[in-house]
PDB file of all heavy atoms in Angstrom:
ATOM      1  N   PHE I   1      59.477 253.702  77.904  1.00 84.00           N
ATOM      2  CA  PHE I   1      60.711 253.396  78.614  1.00 84.00           C
ATOM      3  C   PHE I   1      61.796 253.005  77.690  1.00 84.00           C
ATOM      4  O   PHE I   1      62.932 253.444  77.833  1.00 84.00           O
ATOM      5  CB  PHE I   1      60.420 252.223  79.615  1.00 84.00           C
ATOM      6  CG  PHE I   1      59.488 252.454  80.757  1.00 84.00           C
ATOM      7  CD1 PHE I   1      58.917 251.441  81.451  1.00 84.00           C
ATOM      8  CD2 PHE I   1      59.145 253.776  81.136  1.00 84.00           C
ATOM      9  CE1 PHE I   1      58.099 251.684  82.575  1.00 84.00           C
ATOM     10  CE2 PHE I   1      58.334 254.025  82.192  1.00 84.00           C
ATOM     11  CZ  PHE I   1      57.807 252.983  82.849  1.00 84.00           C
ATOM     12  N   PHE I   2      61.477 252.136  76.720  1.00 82.00           N
ATOM     13  CA  PHE I   2      62.506 251.657  75.768  1.00 82.00           C
ATOM     14  C   PHE I   2      63.022 252.844  74.920  1.00 82.00           C
ATOM     15  O   PHE I   2      64.189 252.922  74.612  1.00 82.00           O
ATOM     16  CB  PHE I   2      62.023 250.494  74.935  1.00 82.00           C
ATOM     17  CG  PHE I   2      62.116 249.190  75.634  1.00 82.00           C
ATOM     18  CD1 PHE I   2      60.956 248.544  76.154  1.00 82.00           C
ATOM     19  CD2 PHE I   2      63.303 248.609  75.891  1.00 82.00           C
ATOM     20  CE1 PHE I   2      61.049 247.371  76.816  1.00 82.00           C
ATOM     21  CE2 PHE I   2      63.414 247.397  76.625  1.00 82.00           C
ATOM     22  CZ  PHE I   2      62.285 246.784  77.064  1.00 82.00           C
ATOM     23  N   ALA I   3      62.071 253.747  74.517  1.00 89.00           N
ATOM     24  CA  ALA I   3      62.524 254.898  73.718  1.00 89.00           C
ATOM     25  C   ALA I   3      63.463 255.773  74.532  1.00 89.00           C
ATOM     26  O   ALA I   3      64.448 256.267  74.039  1.00 89.00           O
ATOM     27  CB  ALA I   3      61.316 255.702  73.285  1.00 89.00           C
ATOM     28  N   ALA I   4      63.140 255.944  75.863  1.00 85.00           N
ATOM     29  CA  ALA I   4      64.006 256.741  76.727  1.00 85.00           C
ATOM     30  C   ALA I   4      65.352 256.095  76.882  1.00 85.00           C
ATOM     31  O   ALA I   4      66.375 256.791  76.907  1.00 85.00           O
ATOM     32  CB  ALA I   4      63.348 256.888  78.083  1.00 85.00           C
ATOM     33  N   ILE I   5      65.396 254.757  76.964  1.00 81.00           N
ATOM     34  CA  ILE I   5      66.669 254.025  77.081  1.00 81.00           C
ATOM     35  C   ILE I   5      67.494 254.272  75.773  1.00 81.00           C
ATOM     36  O   ILE I   5      68.733 254.552  75.870  1.00 81.00           O
ATOM     37  CB  ILE I   5      66.451 252.552  77.297  1.00 81.00           C
ATOM     38  CG1 ILE I   5      65.919 252.363  78.761  1.00 81.00           C
ATOM     39  CG2 ILE I   5      67.724 251.736  77.104  1.00 81.00           C
ATOM     40  CD1 ILE I   5      65.438 250.917  79.019  1.00 81.00           C
ATOM     41  N   VAL I   6      66.863 254.161  74.625  1.00 84.00           N
ATOM     42  CA  VAL I   6      67.573 254.391  73.377  1.00 84.00           C
ATOM     43  C   VAL I   6      68.132 255.799  73.280  1.00 84.00           C
ATOM     44  O   VAL I   6      69.295 255.991  72.955  1.00 84.00           O
ATOM     45  CB  VAL I   6      66.654 254.062  72.189  1.00 84.00           C
ATOM     46  CG1 VAL I   6      67.271 254.586  70.886  1.00 84.00           C
ATOM     47  CG2 VAL I   6      66.368 252.602  72.076  1.00 84.00           C
ATOM     48  N   VAL I   7      67.336 256.757  73.652  1.00 85.00           N
ATOM     49  CA  VAL I   7      67.786 258.160  73.643  1.00 85.00           C
ATOM     50  C   VAL I   7      68.949 258.393  74.629  1.00 85.00           C
ATOM     51  O   VAL I   7      69.950 259.008  74.230  1.00 85.00           O
ATOM     52  CB  VAL I   7      66.609 259.167  73.989  1.00 85.00           C
ATOM     53  CG1 VAL I   7      67.155 260.547  74.265  1.00 85.00           C
ATOM     54  CG2 VAL I   7      65.611 259.180  72.839  1.00 85.00           C
ATOM     55  N   GLU I   8      68.795 257.796  75.793  1.00 82.00           N
ATOM     56  CA  GLU I   8      69.890 257.898  76.806  1.00 82.00           C
ATOM     57  C   GLU I   8      71.157 257.265  76.307  1.00 82.00           C
ATOM     58  O   GLU I   8      72.256 257.848  76.495  1.00 82.00           O
ATOM     59  CB  GLU I   8      69.450 257.287  78.129  1.00 82.00           C
ATOM     60  CG  GLU I   8      70.396 257.503  79.265  1.00 82.00           C
ATOM     61  CD  GLU I   8      69.964 256.888  80.579  1.00 82.00           C
ATOM     62  OE1 GLU I   8      69.516 255.691  80.607  1.00 82.00           O
ATOM     63  OE2 GLU I   8      70.148 257.588  81.633  1.00 82.00           O
ATOM     64  N   VAL I   9      71.077 256.138  75.647  1.00 82.00           N
ATOM     65  CA  VAL I   9      72.268 255.425  75.097  1.00 82.00           C
ATOM     66  C   VAL I   9      72.902 256.304  74.041  1.00 82.00           C
ATOM     67  O   VAL I   9      74.119 256.524  74.029  1.00 82.00           O
ATOM     68  CB  VAL I   9      71.881 254.037  74.546  1.00 82.00           C
ATOM     69  CG1 VAL I   9      73.048 253.504  73.697  1.00 82.00           C
ATOM     70  CG2 VAL I   9      71.556 253.099  75.616  1.00 82.00           C
ATOM     71  N   LEU I  10      72.078 256.862  73.102  1.00 85.00           N
ATOM     72  CA  LEU I  10      72.607 257.687  72.017  1.00 85.00           C
ATOM     73  C   LEU I  10      73.307 258.926  72.550  1.00 85.00           C
ATOM     74  O   LEU I  10      74.351 259.304  72.062  1.00 85.00           O
ATOM     75  CB  LEU I  10      71.489 258.007  70.994  1.00 85.00           C
ATOM     76  CG  LEU I  10      70.929 256.777  70.294  1.00 85.00           C
ATOM     77  CD1 LEU I  10      69.737 257.234  69.421  1.00 85.00           C
ATOM     78  CD2 LEU I  10      72.018 256.164  69.386  1.00 85.00           C
ATOM     79  N   VAL I  11      72.666 259.633  73.525  1.00 82.00           N
ATOM     80  CA  VAL I  11      73.228 260.820  74.035  1.00 82.00           C
ATOM     81  C   VAL I  11      74.547 260.478  74.836  1.00 82.00           C
ATOM     82  O   VAL I  11      75.515 261.151  74.680  1.00 82.00           O
ATOM     83  CB  VAL I  11      72.213 261.588  74.984  1.00 82.00           C
ATOM     84  CG1 VAL I  11      72.882 262.666  75.782  1.00 82.00           C
ATOM     85  CG2 VAL I  11      71.047 262.077  74.150  1.00 82.00           C
ATOM     86  N   ASP I  12      74.463 259.422  75.598  1.00 79.00           N
ATOM     87  CA  ASP I  12      75.668 258.937  76.358  1.00 79.00           C
ATOM     88  C   ASP I  12      76.815 258.676  75.363  1.00 79.00           C
ATOM     89  O   ASP I  12      77.967 259.135  75.617  1.00 79.00           O
ATOM     90  CB  ASP I  12      75.342 257.754  77.164  1.00 79.00           C
ATOM     91  CG  ASP I  12      76.491 257.356  78.081  1.00 79.00           C
ATOM     92  OD1 ASP I  12      76.912 258.176  78.906  1.00 79.00           O
ATOM     93  OD2 ASP I  12      77.031 256.180  77.885  1.00 79.00           O
ATOM     94  N   ARG I  13      76.540 257.964  74.269  1.00 81.00           N
ATOM     95  CA  ARG I  13      77.576 257.666  73.311  1.00 81.00           C
ATOM     96  C   ARG I  13      78.131 258.969  72.633  1.00 81.00           C
ATOM     97  O   ARG I  13      79.298 259.111  72.420  1.00 81.00           O
ATOM     98  CB  ARG I  13      77.088 256.704  72.227  1.00 81.00           C
ATOM     99  CG  ARG I  13      76.708 255.374  72.698  1.00 81.00           C
ATOM    100  CD  ARG I  13      78.010 254.546  73.103  1.00 81.00           C
ATOM    101  NE  ARG I  13      77.666 253.222  73.546  1.00 81.00           N
ATOM    102  CZ  ARG I  13      77.854 252.855  74.814  1.00 81.00           C
ATOM    103  NH1 ARG I  13      78.321 253.610  75.714  1.00 81.00           N
ATOM    104  NH2 ARG I  13      77.477 251.643  75.170  1.00 81.00           N
ATOM    105  N   ALA I  14      77.237 259.876  72.298  1.00 83.00           N
ATOM    106  CA  ALA I  14      77.646 261.150  71.664  1.00 83.00           C
ATOM    107  C   ALA I  14      78.531 261.942  72.613  1.00 83.00           C
ATOM    108  O   ALA I  14      79.475 262.620  72.154  1.00 83.00           O
ATOM    109  CB  ALA I  14      76.351 261.942  71.219  1.00 83.00           C
ATOM    110  N   ARG I  15      78.291 261.921  73.904  1.00 78.00           N
ATOM    111  CA  ARG I  15      79.073 262.610  74.848  1.00 78.00           C
ATOM    112  C   ARG I  15      80.320 261.800  75.317  1.00 78.00           C
ATOM    113  O   ARG I  15      81.033 262.224  76.184  1.00 78.00           O
ATOM    114  CB  ARG I  15      78.238 262.888  76.106  1.00 78.00           C
ATOM    115  CG  ARG I  15      77.172 263.914  75.854  1.00 78.00           C
ATOM    116  CD  ARG I  15      76.364 264.178  77.159  1.00 78.00           C
ATOM    117  NE  ARG I  15      75.360 265.169  76.909  1.00 78.00           N
ATOM    118  CZ  ARG I  15      74.451 265.533  77.805  1.00 78.00           C
ATOM    119  NH1 ARG I  15      74.412 264.882  79.002  1.00 78.00           N
ATOM    120  NH2 ARG I  15      73.537 266.427  77.550  1.00 78.00           N
ATOM    121  N   ARG I  16      80.435 260.589  74.735  1.00 77.00           N
ATOM    122  CA  ARG I  16      81.529 259.671  75.096  1.00 77.00           C
ATOM    123  C   ARG I  16      81.469 259.366  76.580  1.00 77.00           C
ATOM    124  O   ARG I  16      82.509 259.231  77.248  1.00 77.00           O
ATOM    125  CB  ARG I  16      82.912 260.237  74.686  1.00 77.00           C
ATOM    126  CG  ARG I  16      83.007 260.559  73.217  1.00 77.00           C
ATOM    127  CD  ARG I  16      84.420 260.543  72.742  1.00 77.00           C
ATOM    128  NE  ARG I  16      84.594 261.078  71.408  1.00 77.00           N
ATOM    129  CZ  ARG I  16      84.237 260.489  70.325  1.00 77.00           C
ATOM    130  NH1 ARG I  16      83.576 259.337  70.358  1.00 77.00           N
ATOM    131  NH2 ARG I  16      84.471 260.996  69.115  1.00 77.00           N
ATOM    132  N   GLY I  17      80.221 259.159  77.027  1.00 71.00           N
ATOM    133  CA  GLY I  17      80.069 258.780  78.467  1.00 71.00           C
ATOM    134  C   GLY I  17      80.227 257.319  78.729  1.00 71.00           C
ATOM    135  O   GLY I  17      80.535 256.524  77.788  1.00 71.00           O
ATOM    136  N   SER I  18      79.959 256.943  79.962  1.00 72.00           N
ATOM    137  CA  SER I  18      80.097 255.523  80.335  1.00 72.00           C
ATOM    138  C   SER I  18      78.854 255.104  81.140  1.00 72.00           C
ATOM    139  O   SER I  18      78.997 254.251  82.030  1.00 72.00           O
ATOM    140  CB  SER I  18      81.323 255.355  81.142  1.00 72.00           C
ATOM    141  OG  SER I  18      81.323 256.143  82.329  1.00 72.00           O
ATOM    142  N   ALA I  19      77.694 255.661  80.805  1.00 70.00           N
ATOM    143  CA  ALA I  19      76.503 255.347  81.590  1.00 70.00           C
ATOM    144  C   ALA I  19      75.954 253.939  81.202  1.00 70.00           C
ATOM    145  O   ALA I  19      75.162 253.345  81.991  1.00 70.00           O
ATOM    146  CB  ALA I  19      75.385 256.361  81.375  1.00 70.00           C
ATOM    147  N   TYR I  20      76.385 253.398  80.109  1.00 74.00           N
ATOM    148  CA  TYR I  20      75.885 252.125  79.618  1.00 74.00           C
ATOM    149  C   TYR I  20      77.017 251.167  79.274  1.00 74.00           C
ATOM    150  O   TYR I  20      77.904 251.544  78.520  1.00 74.00           O
ATOM    151  CB  TYR I  20      74.975 252.291  78.369  1.00 74.00           C
ATOM    152  CG  TYR I  20      73.503 252.606  78.713  1.00 74.00           C
ATOM    153  CD1 TYR I  20      73.166 253.905  78.826  1.00 74.00           C
ATOM    154  CD2 TYR I  20      72.588 251.597  78.951  1.00 74.00           C
ATOM    155  CE1 TYR I  20      71.809 254.224  79.160  1.00 74.00           C
ATOM    156  CE2 TYR I  20      71.278 251.891  79.277  1.00 74.00           C
ATOM    157  CZ  TYR I  20      70.914 253.205  79.385  1.00 74.00           C
ATOM    158  OH  TYR I  20      69.645 253.545  79.747  1.00 74.00           O
ATOM    159  N   ARG I  21      76.927 249.998  79.840  1.00 75.00           N
ATOM    160  CA  ARG I  21      77.732 248.875  79.462  1.00 75.00           C
ATOM    161  C   ARG I  21      76.829 247.802  78.921  1.00 75.00           C
ATOM    162  O   ARG I  21      75.819 247.553  79.633  1.00 75.00           O
ATOM    163  CB  ARG I  21      78.590 248.410  80.581  1.00 75.00           C
ATOM    164  CG  ARG I  21      79.768 249.345  80.849  1.00 75.00           C
ATOM    165  CD  ARG I  21      80.535 248.870  82.045  1.00 75.00           C
ATOM    166  NE  ARG I  21      79.793 249.482  83.199  1.00 75.00           N
ATOM    167  CZ  ARG I  21      80.443 249.697  84.350  1.00 75.00           C
ATOM    168  NH1 ARG I  21      81.607 249.343  84.538  1.00 75.00           N
ATOM    169  NH2 ARG I  21      79.707 250.222  85.314  1.00 75.00           N
ATOM    170  N   LEU I  22      77.074 247.257  77.818  1.00 75.00           N
ATOM    171  CA  LEU I  22      76.129 246.300  77.201  1.00 75.00           C
ATOM    172  C   LEU I  22      75.751 245.180  78.093  1.00 75.00           C
ATOM    173  O   LEU I  22      74.565 244.836  78.286  1.00 75.00           O
ATOM    174  CB  LEU I  22      76.699 245.782  75.896  1.00 75.00           C
ATOM    175  CG  LEU I  22      75.801 244.796  75.132  1.00 75.00           C
ATOM    176  CD1 LEU I  22      74.524 245.504  74.685  1.00 75.00           C
ATOM    177  CD2 LEU I  22      76.532 244.237  73.906  1.00 75.00           C
ATOM    178  N   GLY I  23      76.765 244.533  78.723  1.00 76.00           N
ATOM    179  CA  GLY I  23      76.461 243.433  79.615  1.00 76.00           C
ATOM    180  C   GLY I  23      75.550 243.754  80.800  1.00 76.00           C
ATOM    181  O   GLY I  23      74.562 243.019  81.100  1.00 76.00           O
ATOM    182  N   CYS I  24      75.793 244.905  81.416  1.00 77.00           N
ATOM    183  CA  CYS I  24      74.944 245.369  82.532  1.00 77.00           C
ATOM    184  C   CYS I  24      73.513 245.701  82.049  1.00 77.00           C
ATOM    185  O   CYS I  24      72.553 245.339  82.680  1.00 77.00           O
ATOM    186  CB  CYS I  24      75.522 246.580  83.152  1.00 77.00           C
ATOM    187  SG  CYS I  24      76.951 246.257  84.174  1.00 77.00           S
ATOM    188  N   ALA I  25      73.461 246.347  80.901  1.00 76.00           N
ATOM    189  CA  ALA I  25      72.070 246.774  80.380  1.00 76.00           C
ATOM    190  C   ALA I  25      71.285 245.512  79.996  1.00 76.00           C
ATOM    191  O   ALA I  25      70.093 245.436  80.333  1.00 76.00           O
ATOM    192  CB  ALA I  25      72.241 247.674  79.173  1.00 76.00           C
ATOM    193  N   VAL I  26      71.900 244.477  79.387  1.00 79.00           N
ATOM    194  CA  VAL I  26      71.194 243.247  79.055  1.00 79.00           C
ATOM    195  C   VAL I  26      70.803 242.578  80.311  1.00 79.00           C
ATOM    196  O   VAL I  26      69.653 242.040  80.409  1.00 79.00           O
ATOM    197  CB  VAL I  26      72.097 242.405  78.169  1.00 79.00           C
ATOM    198  CG1 VAL I  26      71.534 241.003  78.066  1.00 79.00           C
ATOM    199  CG2 VAL I  26      72.292 242.995  76.798  1.00 79.00           C
ATOM    200  N   SER I  27      71.647 242.490  81.297  1.00 79.00           N
ATOM    201  CA  SER I  27      71.314 241.892  82.633  1.00 79.00           C
ATOM    202  C   SER I  27      70.147 242.611  83.274  1.00 79.00           C
ATOM    203  O   SER I  27      69.214 241.966  83.787  1.00 79.00           O
ATOM    204  CB  SER I  27      72.523 241.921  83.535  1.00 79.00           C
ATOM    205  OG  SER I  27      72.188 241.386  84.809  1.00 79.00           O
ATOM    206  N   ASP I  28      70.150 243.940  83.251  1.00 78.00           N
ATOM    207  CA  ASP I  28      69.034 244.761  83.751  1.00 78.00           C
ATOM    208  C   ASP I  28      67.764 244.360  83.092  1.00 78.00           C
ATOM    209  O   ASP I  28      66.709 244.121  83.816  1.00 78.00           O
ATOM    210  CB  ASP I  28      69.267 246.239  83.583  1.00 78.00           C
ATOM    211  CG  ASP I  28      70.459 246.750  84.387  1.00 78.00           C
ATOM    212  OD1 ASP I  28      70.863 246.072  85.329  1.00 78.00           O
ATOM    213  OD2 ASP I  28      70.952 247.795  84.059  1.00 78.00           O
ATOM    214  N   LEU I  29      67.755 244.261  81.832  1.00 78.00           N
ATOM    215  CA  LEU I  29      66.548 243.948  81.035  1.00 78.00           C
ATOM    216  C   LEU I  29      66.097 242.524  81.308  1.00 78.00           C
ATOM    217  O   LEU I  29      64.890 242.199  81.409  1.00 78.00           O
ATOM    218  CB  LEU I  29      66.750 244.160  79.566  1.00 78.00           C
ATOM    219  CG  LEU I  29      66.987 245.640  79.165  1.00 78.00           C
ATOM    220  CD1 LEU I  29      67.326 245.752  77.703  1.00 78.00           C
ATOM    221  CD2 LEU I  29      65.830 246.553  79.541  1.00 78.00           C
ATOM    222  N   GLN I  30      67.029 241.572  81.443  1.00 82.00           N
ATOM    223  CA  GLN I  30      66.671 240.126  81.747  1.00 82.00           C
ATOM    224  C   GLN I  30      66.059 240.068  83.109  1.00 82.00           C
ATOM    225  O   GLN I  30      65.020 239.350  83.253  1.00 82.00           O
ATOM    226  CB  GLN I  30      67.919 239.286  81.703  1.00 82.00           C
ATOM    227  CG  GLN I  30      68.418 239.043  80.268  1.00 82.00           C
ATOM    228  CD  GLN I  30      69.754 238.297  80.289  1.00 82.00           C
ATOM    229  OE1 GLN I  30      70.543 238.333  81.205  1.00 82.00           O
ATOM    230  NE2 GLN I  30      70.013 237.542  79.201  1.00 82.00           N
ATOM    231  N   VAL I  31      66.553 240.745  84.077  1.00 79.00           N
ATOM    232  CA  VAL I  31      66.004 240.772  85.422  1.00 79.00           C
ATOM    233  C   VAL I  31      64.571 241.358  85.380  1.00 79.00           C
ATOM    234  O   VAL I  31      63.668 240.842  86.031  1.00 79.00           O
ATOM    235  CB  VAL I  31      66.874 241.466  86.470  1.00 79.00           C
ATOM    236  CG1 VAL I  31      66.142 241.665  87.758  1.00 79.00           C
ATOM    237  CG2 VAL I  31      68.165 240.679  86.686  1.00 79.00           C
ATOM    238  N   GLY I  32      64.415 242.443  84.643  1.00 77.00           N
ATOM    239  CA  GLY I  32      63.100 243.065  84.513  1.00 77.00           C
ATOM    240  C   GLY I  32      62.120 242.156  83.820  1.00 77.00           C
ATOM    241  O   GLY I  32      60.951 242.069  84.334  1.00 77.00           O
ATOM    242  N   ILE I  33      62.467 241.425  82.855  1.00 80.00           N
ATOM    243  CA  ILE I  33      61.565 240.493  82.190  1.00 80.00           C
ATOM    244  C   ILE I  33      61.201 239.347  83.146  1.00 80.00           C
ATOM    245  O   ILE I  33      60.001 238.996  83.299  1.00 80.00           O
ATOM    246  CB  ILE I  33      62.173 239.937  80.888  1.00 80.00           C
ATOM    247  CG1 ILE I  33      62.263 241.055  79.813  1.00 80.00           C
ATOM    248  CG2 ILE I  33      61.397 238.742  80.353  1.00 80.00           C
ATOM    249  CD1 ILE I  33      63.139 240.666  78.641  1.00 80.00           C
ATOM    250  N   ALA I  34      62.145 238.778  83.830  1.00 81.00           N
ATOM    251  CA  ALA I  34      61.874 237.741  84.791  1.00 81.00           C
ATOM    252  C   ALA I  34      60.959 238.218  85.872  1.00 81.00           C
ATOM    253  O   ALA I  34      60.021 237.467  86.299  1.00 81.00           O
ATOM    254  CB  ALA I  34      63.216 237.215  85.421  1.00 81.00           C
ATOM    255  N   SER I  35      61.189 239.414  86.391  1.00 79.00           N
ATOM    256  CA  SER I  35      60.270 239.881  87.422  1.00 79.00           C
ATOM    257  C   SER I  35      58.882 240.087  86.938  1.00 79.00           C
ATOM    258  O   SER I  35      57.934 239.850  87.632  1.00 79.00           O
ATOM    259  CB  SER I  35      60.895 241.239  88.024  1.00 79.00           C
ATOM    260  OG  SER I  35      60.229 242.360  87.516  1.00 79.00           O
ATOM    261  N   GLN I  36      58.712 240.550  85.688  1.00 77.00           N
ATOM    262  CA  GLN I  36      57.368 240.712  85.136  1.00 77.00           C
ATOM    263  C   GLN I  36      56.656 239.363  84.993  1.00 77.00           C
ATOM    264  O   GLN I  36      55.446 239.279  85.310  1.00 77.00           O
ATOM    265  CB  GLN I  36      57.440 241.433  83.773  1.00 77.00           C
ATOM    266  CG  GLN I  36      57.723 242.887  83.864  1.00 77.00           C
ATOM    267  CD  GLN I  36      56.684 243.655  84.726  1.00 77.00           C
ATOM    268  OE1 GLN I  36      55.548 243.664  84.430  1.00 77.00           O
ATOM    269  NE2 GLN I  36      57.173 244.215  85.758  1.00 77.00           N
ATOM    270  N   VAL I  37      57.343 238.335  84.600  1.00 81.00           N
ATOM    271  CA  VAL I  37      56.759 237.008  84.490  1.00 81.00           C
ATOM    272  C   VAL I  37      56.312 236.482  85.866  1.00 81.00           C
ATOM    273  O   VAL I  37      55.224 236.018  86.030  1.00 81.00           O
ATOM    274  CB  VAL I  37      57.766 236.040  83.824  1.00 81.00           C
ATOM    275  CG1 VAL I  37      57.280 234.585  83.895  1.00 81.00           C
ATOM    276  CG2 VAL I  37      57.999 236.442  82.353  1.00 81.00           C
ATOM    277  N   VAL I  38      57.235 236.581  86.838  1.00 81.00           N
ATOM    278  CA  VAL I  38      56.874 236.119  88.219  1.00 81.00           C
ATOM    279  C   VAL I  38      55.769 236.969  88.798  1.00 81.00           C
ATOM    280  O   VAL I  38      54.852 236.400  89.442  1.00 81.00           O
ATOM    281  CB  VAL I  38      58.131 236.165  89.115  1.00 81.00           C
ATOM    282  CG1 VAL I  38      57.813 235.929  90.578  1.00 81.00           C
ATOM    283  CG2 VAL I  38      59.184 235.168  88.645  1.00 81.00           C
ATOM    284  N   GLU I  39      55.804 238.233  88.586  1.00 77.00           N
ATOM    285  CA  GLU I  39      54.778 239.121  89.190  1.00 77.00           C
ATOM    286  C   GLU I  39      53.412 238.921  88.558  1.00 77.00           C
ATOM    287  O   GLU I  39      52.400 239.312  89.154  1.00 77.00           O
ATOM    288  CB  GLU I  39      55.181 240.553  89.116  1.00 77.00           C
ATOM    289  CG  GLU I  39      56.229 240.864  90.195  1.00 77.00           C
ATOM    290  CD  GLU I  39      56.400 242.317  90.492  1.00 77.00           C
ATOM    291  OE1 GLU I  39      55.793 243.170  89.802  1.00 77.00           O
ATOM    292  OE2 GLU I  39      57.133 242.661  91.425  1.00 77.00           O
ATOM    293  N   LEU I  40      53.278 238.341  87.385  1.00 77.00           N
ATOM    294  CA  LEU I  40      52.005 238.024  86.852  1.00 77.00           C
ATOM    295  C   LEU I  40      51.143 237.245  87.852  1.00 77.00           C
ATOM    296  O   LEU I  40      49.952 237.428  87.999  1.00 77.00           O
ATOM    297  CB  LEU I  40      52.056 237.222  85.564  1.00 77.00           C
ATOM    298  CG  LEU I  40      52.495 237.930  84.310  1.00 77.00           C
ATOM    299  CD1 LEU I  40      52.780 236.978  83.160  1.00 77.00           C
ATOM    300  CD2 LEU I  40      51.413 238.997  83.905  1.00 77.00           C
TER     301      LEU I  40
END
């Protein structure tokens, strides 16, 4: 998953896209981590 995210970010940047905003991506990952902890 993380490798796919890195590839997607690199391709998006190379195409000068806007699929990633740092704040949103960090928030997505924080929510994902919190959900994994609670779901244990």
Side-chain angles (χ1 to χ4, degrees):
F1 293 164
F2 280 106
I5 290 170
V6 169
V7 168
E8 187 180 43
V9 166
L10 293 174
V11 170
D12 185 61
R13 293 290 180 246
R15 292 181 178 172
R16 303 203 189 292
S18 60
Y20 275 89
R21 285 177 273 203
L22 181 62
C24 286
V26 168
S27 176
D28 294 341
L29 296 176
Q30 288 173 331
V31 170
I33 290 167
S35 99
Q36 287 302 300
V37 170
V38 170
E39 283 198 353
L40 283 172

